[in-house]
């Protein structure tokens, strides 16, 4: 009476759990793959893709890597399925976290993780403080990652330099997905960081720069006529009372030209140079006296020559 279709019940998802021999990306045949080293994804064999499709795995594909000897675990995504059968290729920093060597067995298991809401990082070097906008750089580099695991030391590359960051904390769990999420990021002081040393360096640089100097004191003294700058004499012949040095200082400062801040060029285009030449009035030697123009004042000539009279 009733016909039941085969797709009436949802297929139950099963876990993917396979053991592979792991190798670093430098052992991958073909050209050098820097895109794998810069992120948190691995390369798996084509047979893994066939098995994952049959097991009805949730997307995005997230895997837990386990080193059974050291009981170290981490999480990662997958970039491509082009590895040799029985092998997986991992970034160097991921192999260092798992304490793996070339050809060591690693267990790859599919998992589902919560979406990240918070993460805290600690740079392992004070050189990370030289980056002007650390959060923007980290956000750009994390686009090559699928997930984060508490306790991992990830490596990011910026301006041809590799920076290592330790993941101190992740919420809402010890392992989270960072794909299409709003995640708050905080930084802990770098390893070996001393605030006193950076304060003294900052004070030294400010003293060398001389930024505390008043710009008005650097203005040139006025040349030419200056009103009320001469000396005065009394009618009774007595000498003028000398002023103290403290009273003479304001007069010296008033004699200088007032400091006027320039107006920035809002239409400036990066990469252009403008050579502005101030037009000066011509001197007396260069001036040439010219008579006013008068029409028909020139001399006239005839084409016919006058005949001589004998």
């Amino acid at each position: 009476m009733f016909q039941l279709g085969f797709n009436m019940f949802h297929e139950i998802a099963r876990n993917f759990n396979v053991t592979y021999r792991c190798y670093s990306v430098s052992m991958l045949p073909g050209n050098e793959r820097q895109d794998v080293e810069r992120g948190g994804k691995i390369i798996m064999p084509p047979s893994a893709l066939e098995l994952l499709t049959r097991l009805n795995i949730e997307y995005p594909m997230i895997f837990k890597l386990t080193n059974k000897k050291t009981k170290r675990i981490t999480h990662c995504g997958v970039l491509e399925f082009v590895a040799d059968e029985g092998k997986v290729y991992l970034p160097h920093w991921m192999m260092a976290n798992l304490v793996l060597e070339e050809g060591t067995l690693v267990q790859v298991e599919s998992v589902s993780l919560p979406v990240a809401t918070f993460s805290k990082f600690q740079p392992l070097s004070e050189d990370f403080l030289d980056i002007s906008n650390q959060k923007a750089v980290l956000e750009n580099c994390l686009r090559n990652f699928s997930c984060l695991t508490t306790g991992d030391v990830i490596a990011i590359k910026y301006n041809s330099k590799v920076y290592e960051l330790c993941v101190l904390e992740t919420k809402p769990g010890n392992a989270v997905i960072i794909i299409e999420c709003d995640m708050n990021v905080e930084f802990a002081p770098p390893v070996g960081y001393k605030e006193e040393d950076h304060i003294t360096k900052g004070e030294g640089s400010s003293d060398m720069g001389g930024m505390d100097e008043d710009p008005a004191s650097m203005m040139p003294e006025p040349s030419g006529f200056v009103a009320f700058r001469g000396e005065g004499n009394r009618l009774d012949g007595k000498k003028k009372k000398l002023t103290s040095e403290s009273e003479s200082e304001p007069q010296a400062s008033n004699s200088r030209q007032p400091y006027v801040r320039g107006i920035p060029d809002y239409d400036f285009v990066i990469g252009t140079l403008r050579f502005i030449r101030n037009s000066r009035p011509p001197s007396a030697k260069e001036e040439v006296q010219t008579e006013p123009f008068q029409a028909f004042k020139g001399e006239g000539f005839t084409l016919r020559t006058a005949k001589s009279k004998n």
Side-chain angles (χ1 to χ4, degrees):
M1 296 176 63
F2 298 97
Q3 295 181 357
L4 299 177
F6 291 101
N7 296 328
M8 183 174 179
F9 300 99
H10 295 284
E11 189 176 348
I12 300 174
R14 291 174 292 174
N15 290 337
F16 174 88
N17 193 342
V18 183
T19 302
Y20 295 100
R21 292 195 178 273
C22 66
Y23 296 90
S24 59
V25 181
S26 59
M27 303 291 292
L28 182 66
N31 298 329
E32 187 178 4
R33 298 293 300 272
Q34 289 293 336
D35 54 340
V36 185
E37 288 288 354
R38 296 175 183 174
K41 300 179 182 180
I42 64 175
I43 296 180
M44 301 178 67
S47 60
L49 178 59
E50 298 178 3
L51 182 57
L52 287 168
T53 54
R54 292 199 302 267
L55 294 177
N56 193 21
I57 297 298
E58 297 180 359
Y59 290 88
M61 295 182 183
I62 303 297
F63 301 95
K64 181 176 73 172
L65 305 182
T66 306
N67 185 356
K68 293 184 177 180
K69 291 184 179 180
T70 59
K71 305 300 181 182
R72 302 282 299 259
I73 65 171
T74 188
H75 298 80
C76 66
V78 58
L79 183 63
E80 294 177 357
F81 294 91
V82 295
D84 297 334
E85 292 299 331
K87 299 179 181 179
V88 289
Y89 294 92
L90 280 65
H92 177 72
W93 65 266
M94 194 176 295
M95 295 188 65
N97 287 332
L98 295 174
V99 194
L100 292 172
E101 296 180 356
E102 301 290 344
T104 309
L105 295 176
V106 60
Q107 182 181 357
V108 182
E109 182 182 358
S110 62
V111 293
S112 59
L113 302 177
V115 180
T117 58
F118 172 81
S119 60
K120 188 174 183 179
F121 300 88
Q122 183 183 26
L124 300 186
S125 174
E126 297 182 10
D127 297 338
F128 189 73
L129 298 177
D130 298 336
I131 302 176
S132 59
N133 193 344
Q134 294 95 348
K135 287 188 177 181
V137 172
L138 180 62
E139 179 182 358
N140 187 34
C141 294
L142 287 181
R143 294 177 181 176
N144 299 322
F145 289 74
S146 299
C147 54
L148 292 174
T149 306
T150 302
D152 278 359
V153 177
I154 64 174
I156 62 175
K157 189 173 183 180
Y158 176 71
N159 281 350
S160 301
K161 190 172 183 179
V162 178
Y163 300 91
E164 292 184 340
L165 303 175
C166 180
V167 184
L168 296 181
E169 184 181 359
T170 56
K171 292 181 181 180
N174 293 331
V176 291
I177 296 178
I178 59 173
I179 299 175
E180 296 180 358
C181 67
D182 295 330
M183 180 177 63
N184 297 324
V185 177
E186 289 186 3
F187 290 100
V191 177
Y193 172 79
K194 294 182 180 180
E195 190 173 359
E196 297 178 355
D197 297 341
H198 286 265
I199 292 175
T200 54
K201 290 180 181 179
E203 291 177 352
S205 61
S206 62
D207 294 341
M208 294 296 292
M211 296 300 294
D212 297 336
E213 189 175 357
D214 186 11
S217 62
M218 296 185 290
M219 296 297 294
E221 294 186 359
S223 59
F225 173 75
V226 180
F228 306 106
R229 200 173 183 183
E231 298 180 356
N233 298 318
R234 297 171 61 95
L235 295 176
D236 54 4
K238 295 181 180 180
K239 294 183 178 180
K240 182 181 177 182
K241 186 178 180 181
L242 299 175
T243 59
S244 60
E245 294 181 358
S246 60
E247 295 178 356
S248 61
E249 288 179 358
Q251 295 179 0
S253 61
N254 293 334
S255 62
R256 295 179 178 273
Q257 296 179 1
Y259 171 71
V260 180
R261 184 175 180 179
I263 301 175
D265 186 6
Y266 296 103
D267 298 330
F268 174 74
V269 180
I270 298 176
T272 59
L273 295 176
R274 295 184 180 179
F275 299 94
I276 302 176
R277 297 176 175 83
N278 296 327
S279 59
R280 56 186 181 83
S283 60
K285 296 181 179 179
E286 296 177 357
E287 291 182 356
V288 179
Q289 296 180 356
T290 57
E291 297 180 357
F293 173 75
Q294 295 181 3
F296 306 106
K297 193 179 180 181
E299 298 180 358
F301 300 91
T302 60
L303 296 176
R304 296 172 59 183
T305 57
K307 296 180 180 180
S308 59
K309 298 180 180 180
N310 294 332

